[in-house]
Amino acid sequence: RTARPPAMASPAAAAAARAVKIAEYEKFIGERLRPDLLDAELARDKTQREVLQWEALGVNAKALRTENRGSMRTLVDLGSQVYCQAEVPCTDRVFVNVGLGFHAEMSLVECEAFCEKKLAKLKTDVQTRVEELANVQSHVKLVTEGIRELMQLSDKGGSSSRSNVGGFN
């Protein structure tokens, strides 16, 4: 038995199939890739904010240790952005949120060392988040280029009637 060559689709059917495929790709960008992109950006930004907080804690612990103050006055967040003044009678030890709702009492030297370890971990997390974000961005670019190629095929090399495909340039 010899295989028959596949029947050639009419130009109108091919154009309709391309239009359907373009719509599917645009839907994929809008429903899958764009939310993934936003999630990756939020995760990276959250991790970067944590890095800043831990750096500030390390700097403050070092400043308290070098100034060697016995007591100090500060503002304490009571919750919901409500603050009150507080007197700290002894600045030799601090309570550090170590995660999962647990706070550990540490000396200032221990606090600085803990901050350094936490920062090392968070910086690798930031790098991972940046790589995840770049991966999603490359997927968006790949699908967008696929849409552009399909649109050029349907326009037969002419300029596309659509611009800003999927909300991306």
Side-chain angles (χ1 to χ4, degrees):
R1 262 181 129 178
T2 59
R4 285 191 237 165
M8 296 292 285
S10 70
R18 277 193 297 275
V20 167
K21 194 53 95 173
I22 289 170
E24 287 175 7
Y25 286 156
E26 287 176 340
K27 182 179 177 184
F28 180 69
I29 287 175
E31 292 179 0
R32 177 59 191 227
L33 294 180
R34 186 169 293 174
D36 287 353
L37 186 64
L38 292 175
D39 290 345
E41 287 174 343
L42 290 173
R44 179 205 57 201
D45 293 345
K46 179 183 176 199
T47 307
Q48 287 176 332
R49 280 191 302 275
E50 284 184 57
V51 166
L52 293 175
Q53 290 173 343
W54 283 99
E55 285 175 342
L57 179 60
V59 167
N60 289 336
K62 184 175 185 175
L64 280 174
R65 186 176 51 81
T66 56
E67 290 176 11
N68 201 16
R69 282 201 249 171
S71 65
M72 65 181 264
R73 292 184 64 87
T74 186
L75 287 177
V76 177
D77 185 1
L78 298 176
S80 300
Q81 300 296 318
V82 176
Y83 292 87
C84 72
Q85 287 190 5
E87 178 73 28
V88 180
C90 178
T91 60
D92 293 342
R93 301 188 73 73
V94 293
F95 284 91
V96 178
N97 182 349
V98 293
L100 300 174
F102 291 99
H103 292 77
E105 184 177 4
M106 299 180 186
S107 70
L108 295 174
V109 173
E110 291 170 333
C111 178
E112 289 178 60
F114 185 79
C115 287
E116 288 176 17
K117 290 178 184 176
K118 186 72 173 184
L119 281 169
K121 168 73 171 89
L122 285 173
K123 287 180 180 180
T124 60
D125 289 351
V126 166
Q127 185 61 36
T128 301
R129 300 284 186 253
V130 167
E131 290 168 4
E132 289 170 357
L133 182 60
N135 187 30
V136 175
Q137 288 172 333
S138 69
H139 287 141
V140 169
K141 186 173 182 176
L142 179 70
V143 174
T144 302
E145 289 301 317
I147 291 171
R148 286 189 180 134
E149 287 181 23
L150 284 172
M151 290 170 63
Q152 286 177 351
L153 285 175
S154 65
D155 290 342
K156 297 197 191 255
S159 65
S160 174
S161 61
R162 293 184 188 181
S163 64
N164 198 13
V165 175
F168 299 97
N169 289 330

